[in-house]
Amino acid sequence: MSVLIIWIMGAGLLLINIMLRTRILRLEASLKELRGSQEYLTYLHQQSQATQNNKVATIKALRKKYPELSLTEANKLWQQIQ
């Protein structure tokens, strides 16, 4: 009986986790749409000038300000300004 309760609670927690993850992903996507890539590029260009084109420092600063960006997205933006 106790094993059944543990399984039911585990399944419930798994469903809650899945729902919260999908909600977070949707919120991040809508945040990216609201900001637009132009804002990212402007900030990236400013940071690039401030760090004398140091790629690692510039991408770190971009991801610190905009945590919704993945590393690959930040790298693609860096390649656009180069």
Side-chain angles (χ1 to χ4, degrees):
M1 184 67 177
S2 63
V3 173
L4 181 63
I5 292 172
I6 292 172
W7 274 95
I8 291 172
M9 289 183 66
L13 290 174
L14 181 65
L15 288 175
I16 290 170
N17 188 358
I18 291 170
M19 290 187 324
L20 291 175
R21 281 180 183 247
T22 55
R23 184 169 181 189
I24 288 171
L25 290 173
R26 278 192 228 130
L27 288 172
E28 286 178 346
S30 66
L31 187 59
K32 284 180 189 177
E33 289 176 11
L34 287 174
R35 287 196 173 146
S37 64
Q38 189 61 37
E39 184 177 343
Y40 298 139
L41 287 172
T42 303
Y43 183 78
L44 189 63
H45 187 67
Q46 291 170 353
Q47 287 300 314
S48 176
Q49 290 175 347
T51 60
Q52 288 81 30
N53 284 334
N54 184 350
K55 180 179 180 179
V56 174
T58 304
I59 289 178
K60 279 185 179 180
L62 178 69
R63 291 193 66 216
K64 186 174 183 179
K65 178 155 175 130
Y66 302 107
E68 71 272 7
L69 282 177
S70 70
L71 184 58
T72 55
E73 291 169 333
N75 192 27
K76 286 178 185 175
L77 290 172
W78 167 263
Q79 291 171 354
Q80 286 180 11
I81 66 166
Q82 292 303 312

